[in-house]
């Protein structure tokens, strides 16, 4: 015999047993299950809400999002064996392990991607993001101006013939003469901003990190008697980001090269204009013989006059400030050099960038003052376009064979409201943030998913409660099951 009501409520195994005990109220079990179900839907929704701010389904490039309680930053991953991810940058100019951007502080953004070289081309030399850095001086030619043999971030270029490889530090092995501009230039000069073909695929390895708010890469390359090893460690803690670079000379010849971080800086995708500014950490600024605060080497050739768009002033303590007075139009480029071999400064390469949205970022490199020889300041430039305001303090590095040097960028982010909205994932509730193009699509999808989950949960609870009331009480008696 089978009790059909009991079977409907709590199905029992189809086998012969002598006696089976039925619980007092199977309906109560279903009611409890329904409550567990709605709780599960709620908690899953909260988890999705937290995770979705850090992982965008539409993001096509491999990346890691570092988080602190008040901000987040995205690190785009360089090429690694065994990874099926696409790389944000595979060009021949910037370090592949230095693509750090998409900083979110409270509900505001900086170092974004929507204002620089769009649509994005991962192989184009200029298509970096945020803190993209380069070994070299940002000019054409295999060497940089100054005392001694200062290479432009390239090793073995002069001795290589067209079609043969040379090394670009932080990038890898490139083929000499393979860039488009090389074909039309009879000088055989290195072209820093023209795309070279790779001699072989550069490889990076992600190292084990002690915490989830830190990521570290290592990359090395060699060619005959030349070689280098570079390690990048990016860490985010509170309102402070540190980017530590360790460079080793693994070859048998000396390495001498400048290095700088480009700082592709904008705030909330506002074009560079009024509201933007820079305070340069040059308190011991040396007076030039000409009496001018800066030089503009490209003016009248490829750049326009900075004074047309900015007001540059010098305070009594020697500090330099630059405030933008006019929005930079499309196609206009500006460059100013604040240091050369005739000026001297005791500086840690510091500056403070200001954006119209109220956010500021201060950077300093303590090793510039704590080490006697390596590295030290080489130049201090500022570059600007409509899509970036870029302070570029340049370091000069000298490494003998088997020698290693290290420097650390310390970046402190601040806001007038001190990120009062708390953790960055809460910013998705703010109307202004929903207007950011890169966030709108996946946040809309998330909203639909959460609403669907909530509806399903309430529907499940309603149906379960209705069924519970439809059940008749089942006495606590033994029932024979055949």
């Amino acid at each position: 015999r089978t009790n059909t009501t009991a079977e409907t409520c709590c199905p029992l195994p189809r086998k012969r047993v002598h006696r089976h005990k039925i619980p007092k109220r199977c309906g109560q079990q279903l009611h409890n299950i329904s409550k567990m179900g709605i709780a599960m839907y709620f908690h899953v929704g909260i988890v999705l809400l937290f995770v979705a701010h850090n992982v965008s389904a539409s993001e096509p490039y491999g990346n890691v999002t570092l988080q602190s309680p008040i901000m987040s930053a995205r690190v785009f991953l360089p090429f690694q064996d065994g990874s099926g991810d696409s790389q944000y940058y595979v060009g021949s100019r910037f370090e592949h392990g230095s693509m750090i951007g998409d900083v979110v502080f409270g509900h505001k953004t900086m170092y974004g991607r929507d204002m620089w070289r769009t649509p994005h081309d991962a192989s184009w030399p200029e298509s970096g993001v945020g803190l993209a850095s380069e070994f070299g001086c940002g000019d054409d030619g295999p060497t940089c101006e100054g005392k001694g043999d200062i290479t432009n971030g390239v090793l073995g270029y002069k001795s290589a013939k067209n079609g043969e490889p040379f090394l670009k530090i932080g990038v890898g092995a490139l083929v000499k003469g393979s860039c488009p501009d090389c074909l039309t230039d009879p000088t055989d000069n290195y072209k820093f901003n023209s795309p070279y073909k790779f001699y072989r695929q550069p490889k990076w390895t992600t190292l084990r990190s002690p915490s989830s708010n830190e990521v570290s890469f290592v990359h090395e390359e060699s060619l005959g008697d030349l070689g280098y090893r570079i390690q990048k460690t990016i860490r985010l803690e509170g309102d402070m980001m540190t980017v530590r670079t360790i460079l080793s000379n693994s070859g048998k010849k000396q390495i001498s090269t400048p290095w700088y971080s480009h700082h592709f800086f904008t705030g909330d995708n506002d074009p560079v204009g009024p509201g933007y500014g820079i305070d340069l950490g040059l308190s011991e600024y040396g007076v030039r013989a000409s009496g001018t605060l800066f030089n503009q080497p490209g003016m009248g050739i490829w750049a326009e006059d900075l004074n047309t768009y900015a007001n540059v002033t010098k305070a009594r303590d020697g500090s330099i400030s630059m405030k933008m007075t006019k929005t930079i139009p499309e196609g206009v480029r500006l460059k100013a050099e604040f240091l050369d071999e005739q000026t001297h400064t005791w500086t840690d390469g510091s500056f403070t960038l200001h954006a119209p949205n109220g956010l500021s970022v201060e950077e300093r490199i303590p090793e510039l003052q704590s080490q006697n020889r390596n590295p030290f300041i080489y130049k201090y430039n500022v570059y600007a376009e409509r899509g970036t305001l870029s302070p570029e303090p340049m370091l000069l590095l000298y490494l003998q064979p088997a020698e290693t040097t290290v420097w650390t960028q310390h970046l402190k982010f601040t806001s007038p409201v001190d990120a009062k909205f708390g953790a960055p994932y809460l910013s998705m509730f703010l109307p202004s943030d929903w207007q950011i193009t890169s966030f709108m699509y996946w946040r809309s999808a998330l909203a639909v998913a959460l609403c669907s989950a909530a509806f399903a949960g309430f529907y499940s609870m309603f149906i379960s409660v209705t069924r519970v009331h439809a059940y008749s009480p089942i006495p606590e008696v033994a029932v024979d099951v055949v």
Side-chain angles (χ1 to χ4, degrees):
R1 293 191 306 279
T2 303
N3 186 311
T4 56
T5 305
E7 185 179 84
T8 304
C9 180
C10 301
L12 300 175
R14 290 288 184 178
K15 63 180 181 179
R16 181 178 298 276
V17 296
H18 296 291
R19 308 285 285 175
H20 191 85
K21 201 77 169 178
I22 301 298
K24 287 184 177 181
R25 293 185 64 89
C26 292
Q28 185 62 37
Q29 290 182 354
L30 288 176
H31 183 63
N32 291 339
I33 290 174
S34 69
K35 291 191 295 184
M36 292 173 61
I38 192 63
M40 179 187 70
Y41 281 116
F42 176 78
H43 286 97
V44 167
I46 291 298
V47 171
L48 287 173
L49 187 65
F50 178 82
V51 171
H53 189 81
N54 306 307
V55 180
S56 172
S58 62
E59 179 56 65
Y61 307 107
N63 69 90
V64 171
T65 299
L66 305 181
Q67 281 198 326
S68 77
I70 61 173
M71 63 177 293
S72 65
R74 181 171 288 164
V75 180
F76 291 94
L77 304 177
F79 177 82
Q80 303 173 76
D81 277 337
S83 172
D85 295 329
S86 297
Q87 284 71 54
Y88 183 81
Y89 184 80
V90 293
S92 57
R93 177 179 173 182
F94 296 115
E95 287 182 74
H96 289 193
S98 66
M99 299 297 132
I100 308 161
D102 289 354
V103 174
V104 179
F105 191 90
H107 67 290
K108 301 177 181 179
T109 64
M110 64 181 85
Y111 291 112
R113 293 176 278 164
D114 293 340
M115 293 293 292
W116 181 254
R117 298 300 181 262
T118 56
H120 179 67
D121 180 355
S123 63
W124 187 248
E126 288 186 314
S127 297
V129 62
L131 305 184
S133 57
E134 178 184 12
F135 285 92
C137 50
D139 286 318
D140 286 342
T143 60
C144 300
E145 64 179 0
K147 298 178 182 178
D149 187 16
I150 303 174
T151 64
N152 195 2
V154 293
L155 307 177
Y157 184 88
K158 289 183 177 180
S159 60
K161 298 177 181 179
N162 283 342
E164 294 182 345
F166 67 97
L167 299 183
K168 170 77 169 180
I169 303 175
V171 175
L174 306 175
V175 178
K176 184 175 180 178
S178 63
C179 72
D181 290 349
C182 302
L183 303 178
T184 58
D185 185 3
T187 65
D188 199 34
N189 267 344
Y190 167 69
K191 303 296 184 180
F192 82 105
N193 209 28
S194 191
Y196 282 84
K197 294 180 180 179
F198 280 83
Y199 180 72
R200 54 175 166 256
Q201 174 71 55
K203 297 179 181 179
W204 293 70
T205 302
T206 301
L207 304 179
R208 185 183 298 274
S209 299
S211 62
S212 59
N213 63 333
E214 178 180 304
V215 62
S216 188
F217 313 114
V218 65
H219 160 68
E220 53 189 324
E221 188 60 271
S222 62
L223 190 66
D225 292 339
L226 304 170
Y228 67 87
R229 184 182 189 273
I230 185 170
Q231 180 176 328
K232 307 284 288 192
T233 301
I234 304 101
R235 182 177 179 83
L236 184 62
E237 192 165 2
D239 60 0
M240 178 72 71
M241 180 192 297
T242 57
V243 183
R244 189 168 188 251
T245 304
I246 303 175
L247 178 66
S248 300
N249 184 351
S250 60
K252 298 179 181 180
K253 296 183 179 180
Q254 175 184 285
I255 293 176
S256 62
T257 180
W259 173 95
Y260 69 100
S261 178
H262 200 296
H263 287 279
F264 293 107
F265 179 81
T266 54
D268 284 345
N269 296 322
D270 291 326
V272 175
Y276 282 95
I278 314 175
D279 299 322
L280 306 180
L282 295 171
S283 59
E284 300 296 328
Y285 188 82
V287 179
R288 298 171 181 268
S290 62
T292 59
L293 291 180
F294 54 88
N295 290 329
Q296 301 187 74
M299 189 173 67
I301 305 174
W302 56 265
E304 296 191 15
D305 187 0
L306 176 65
N307 295 298
T308 304
Y309 300 93
N311 183 25
V312 183
T313 59
K314 177 181 177 182
R316 289 184 177 181
D317 64 355
S319 60
I320 306 294
S321 295
M322 187 176 84
K323 293 184 178 180
M324 303 304 299
T325 58
K326 183 179 178 181
T327 300
I328 302 177
E330 290 283 358
V332 171
R333 296 181 290 175
L334 311 169
K335 183 176 181 179
E337 294 182 347
F338 288 87
L339 287 180
D340 58 22
E341 290 196 58
Q342 280 69 51
T343 57
H344 302 278
T345 180
W346 182 250
T347 179
D348 58 359
S350 64
F351 60 80
T352 302
L353 273 166
H354 306 280
N357 62 7
L359 292 182
S360 298
V361 55
E362 177 188 2
E363 182 188 274
R364 58 188 179 88
I365 303 175
E367 290 86 355
L368 284 172
Q369 291 186 330
S370 63
Q371 298 177 183
N372 293 328
R373 173 178 175 271
N374 205 15
F376 55 88
I377 197 73
Y378 170 64
K379 285 187 177 183
Y380 205 127
N381 301 338
V382 173
Y383 180 84
E385 287 188 26
R386 183 178 179 85
T388 184
L389 181 58
S390 304
E392 299 172 348
M394 288 189 173
L395 283 57
L396 186 56
L397 313 168
Y398 283 104
L399 285 86
Q400 296 297 330
E403 188 177 2
T404 296
T405 190
V406 58
W407 63 97
T408 309
Q409 298 166 259
H410 292 251
L411 298 101
K412 182 179 176 61
F413 298 85
T414 58
S415 170
V417 296
D418 198 23
K420 64 182 181 179
F421 294 102
Y425 60 84
L426 295 179
S427 69
M428 67 188 305
F429 293 111
L430 300 174
S432 61
D433 216 23
W434 283 81
Q435 305 307 314
I436 300 176
T437 304
S438 58
F439 293 161
M440 288 174 63
Y441 299 108
W442 66 265
R443 286 183 173 174
S444 299
L446 175 62
V448 172
L450 291 177
C451 290
S452 300
F455 175 79
F458 283 112
Y459 178 80
S460 175
M461 181 178 66
F462 175 78
I463 294 299
S464 298
V465 171
T466 302
R467 289 177 177 174
V468 166
H469 290 300
Y471 293 136
S472 300
I474 301 175
E476 188 177 359
V477 296
V479 178
D480 291 331
V481 180
V482 178

